[in-house]
Each structure stands twice: as structure tokens, then as C-alpha cells.
Amino acid sequence: MKKIFEKTLHFSAVAIFSLFAFSCATKSPVEIAKEFPIAIVSISSNTTVPWYEENTNSSEEDDINEDGLINSMLNKSINAKNPEISSNKDRINYAEEKLISILQTKGGFELLDKDSVLNSKIYKGISGNILDFMSSSCIPAGYKKLSPDSRKIARMIMDNLGAKSLLYITFQFEKEKSHSKVYARTTLGVRLLNDKGKLVIRKDYVGLSQNGAQMYGNSYDKQSLVDLFPESIEAAINKFLFSLSLDGTKPIDPETAESTPIKLVRPATAQEETEVAESESEEEQSAESAETVAMAKRMLARGMSAEEVAEITELPLERVKQLAEETE
């Protein structure tokens, strides 16, 4: 993969003002350069490093393994020195720095100055996103966790800053087990909203570290895994960049198996925006149920109070009380 990256980056060194993505509906290229200048208005990530895929006996392992996910949550609550948790700020700060650097130097993106965006009166006056309470997030200093669903706020930001489009970025950091090794997995979520209210880009890009931390039974060196994240972060960002065409031809993708056209979305009606918001909220709750709810039930079964479980898992107290009734 490195050889493919090196060859592709050689061509990317040329100044790029005609980046294109493909429309899923029309198959015609979208000229990204027409969306310049772009303002990055939201960057966030998860705070822990959950498993991307768990073993079928993972619940038993969690019960007996000191490094299980339940204990990781407990460690988080008492500020234990778990590298996967204590490094979350460094991880998102590195991801932000590399994202801006790669887009500008290798992709020729015209980005508005970060300080000008974050220190603008309109941006500072925006309240937090309504979904913030649903999960903890790690956010670089100065940024807010925003969603492209709020077209009114987006329009205000673009008018105030003179931007033609806004970029919303999420990083999901996970660990993936394969052949007795643990690999760093980064999923880069890219949402680009233009001044016509269209989501020009709405796609996720996955980057895996080429190397993995060796597992010994159920244990592995957490610091060794943490040290692999810069590689997976850059891989995800490069995959996004390579999905864009330099000249309107087929996008370059080092792993074409996952390459799919970028969908160009028409402006949604108020009813459609509400449906999308409700759908995404349900998806977040579904993802929460697959992992966090299972942990909450096991904690409750061990005699922990609903208040303690809510604090540790960061689930709403009413939700935990509901789970307590189900486990009785």
C-alpha cells in the first residue's frame, strides 16, 4: 500500500484547483474547487478506543480480563493512566493537524484560516449541538460539535466568513483484532455542505495501521497500539484525498474495493431534514446499544446503582433505570 501511496502523492504534488468527486445519482463529476474557500467548522472524535470487532466470547473475557471494556470504563471514571484514554486529546489534535496539512499541501484545498473561523462572532455565539448529550466527544480547542443538518446556522456562518462551503469532520478511533494482533483503525467522516444547501460529500473513509500490536492471550501493549494511530489517521485522510479525481477521470483509490461514488444530495425539505435527524439519532442509539448497553446491564447485574452506571457509561439516567428494570 505504501508504494501505491507514494506513486499517487507524486502526482498530487501538482497544484490542484480542479478536484472532482462523482455523483452517485448522475455519475457526473462534482468540481470541488468550485466550493472554495472552505471553512472547517467542526472536528470531533470518540474519547476511548473500543473494539471494532469483538470475539464471540468477549462478554466472558470482559468479566475476567483486567483490560476488559467494563474495566476500561471504570478506569476512565477514576482517571486511571490508560494510554488509550489519556491520549485522546493528543490523538484528535494530531488528526486535526494532519487533516489541514494534507488537504492544503497535497490537495491544494483553499481553507479559511482556523483562527478567523473559530474567533468569529457568529461562530462563538453558536450553542452546542443538541446531540452532544448523547455521547462524550473529544474536540480540539476552539471548535464546536456541529451538524450540517442545521442549514440556517450554516448559512449564517458562510455569510459571515465569506465561505462557499463548510466542512464537518468526525474521527472514530477503534482497535481491530486480526491474526493475534491488534491494529489501529480510524474512520474519517467527511461532510461538505455548500452554499446552496447541498451535501456535496457525505462519506466515511477507513484507514488501518499496517502494523499491529502483538496479543498475548487477551493482553496487548496499549501504548504500542496508541503509537499506531498516526499511521491509520494519515491513511484515512489520504484515502479521502485519493477518492477525488485530479482531472475528471476515475478517482484514485489505493484500495478500490471500498471505493464508491460520492452522493450529491439535493436541498432537503424541512420534513426530510427532520426525518434524517431522527434516523441518525436512531443509528447512534443503535450503535450505543451494541456496546454500552450490554456493559450497563452487566454492571447492574453486579449490584451497581443506576446512578453509578449512568456516570460510568455516560448513558442517560432514565435509560439506565429502564435497563435495571429489564435485568430484574
Side-chain angles (χ1 to χ4, degrees):
M1 184 182 292
K2 283 186 176 179
K3 291 183 178 179
I4 299 176
F5 280 173
E6 291 172 357
K7 291 181 180 179
T8 307
L9 292 180
H10 173 73
F11 294 102
S12 299
V14 180
I16 302 170
F17 290 99
S18 300
L19 291 175
F20 293 85
F22 282 85
S23 165
C24 184
T26 65
K27 301 298 182 182
S28 60
V30 178
E31 191 171 355
I32 300 300
K34 288 184 177 180
E35 313 303 337
F36 294 163
I38 296 173
I40 300 178
V41 294
S42 182
I43 299 179
S44 64
S45 73
N46 52 321
T47 57
T48 61
V49 184
W51 288 100
Y52 172 65
E53 292 182 343
E54 295 184 14
N55 295 330
T56 54
N57 61 341
S58 59
S59 59
E60 296 179 1
E61 292 177 359
D62 285 344
D63 289 341
I64 62 176
N65 181 12
E66 289 185 351
D67 293 329
L69 199 50
I70 289 180
N71 287 286
S72 293
M73 298 296 289
L74 290 168
N75 287 342
K76 178 185 176 184
S77 69
I78 60 176
N79 297 318
K81 296 299 182 181
N82 181 342
E84 293 179 2
I85 299 172
S86 61
S87 63
N88 55 22
K89 280 291 185 183
D90 293 335
R91 195 156 49 242
I92 188 60
N93 287 338
Y94 178 86
E96 177 210 0
E97 177 184 345
K98 295 307 294 185
L99 174 74
I100 295 175
S101 174
I102 290 176
L103 292 186
Q104 288 182 324
T105 61
K106 297 178 182 177
F109 274 52
E110 183 183 345
L111 302 176
L112 292 182
D113 179 68
K114 172 184 174 180
D115 291 337
S116 298
V117 174
L118 303 188
N119 293 326
S120 64
K121 184 177 180 180
I122 186 67
Y123 190 84
K124 283 188 171 182
I126 299 173
S127 59
N129 189 277
I130 193 172
L131 297 178
D132 284 354
F133 77 95
M134 295 185 64
S135 62
S136 60
S137 299
C138 197
I139 303 174
Y143 284 99
K144 298 177 184 293
K145 187 178 179 182
L146 304 180
S147 167
D149 291 334
S150 179
R151 307 299 171 88
K152 181 178 179 180
I153 291 178
R155 180 73 267 172
M156 292 170 62
I157 295 175
M158 282 187 269
D159 289 344
N160 181 258
L161 297 174
K164 290 198 65 177
S165 58
L166 304 181
L167 192 59
Y168 303 78
I169 296 293
T170 59
F171 287 95
Q172 176 71 15
F173 300 119
E174 298 168 303
K175 51 194 173 188
E176 181 172 346
K177 180 180 178 181
S178 178
H179 299 93
S180 298
K181 287 189 176 182
V182 185
Y183 296 84
R185 178 187 178 94
T186 297
T187 301
L188 167 65
V190 180
R191 307 292 183 265
L192 184 67
L193 184 72
N194 71 8
D195 57 358
K196 295 179 176 60
K198 293 182 179 180
L199 272 174
V200 180
I201 300 177
R202 181 178 183 143
K203 188 171 171 62
D204 297 337
Y205 303 85
V206 177
L208 282 174
S209 60
Q210 290 189 330
N211 299 311
Q214 184 66 49
M215 292 196 73
Y216 300 94
N218 295 325
S219 301
Y220 62 94
D221 187 334
K222 286 181 167 57
Q223 186 58 54
S224 295
L225 174 66
V226 168
D227 292 341
L228 296 174
F229 271 103
E231 181 182 343
S232 71
I233 289 170
E234 293 187 39
I237 297 171
N238 280 323
K239 196 166 186 180
F240 162 51
L241 185 62
F242 296 156
S243 72
L244 305 174
S245 171
L246 304 183
D247 56 6
T249 58
K250 185 177 180 179
I252 302 169
D253 192 332
E255 297 177 354
T256 55
E258 288 190 11
S259 177
T260 56
I262 294 172
K263 185 176 182 180
L264 180 61
V265 184
R266 63 173 175 80
T269 64
Q271 180 179 352
E272 288 173 335
E273 289 184 356
T274 300
E275 292 174 352
V276 169
E278 291 176 348
S279 175
E280 292 183 350
S281 176
E282 291 174 357
E283 288 177 0
E284 290 191 24
Q285 292 176 0
S286 175
E288 172 187 87
S289 300
E291 184 175 295
T292 312
V293 171
M295 289 189 292
K297 287 184 176 180
R298 291 198 292 270
M299 292 178 184
L300 290 168
R302 293 177 181 179
M304 296 181 67
S305 69
E307 288 75 13
E308 291 173 327
V309 175
E311 180 179 359
I312 293 171
T313 63
E314 299 178 347
L315 286 171
L317 180 58
E318 291 303 317
R319 175 63 173 144
V320 175
K321 289 181 177 179
Q322 179 184 3
L323 294 175
E325 295 176 356
E326 295 175 2
T327 55
E328 290 179 355

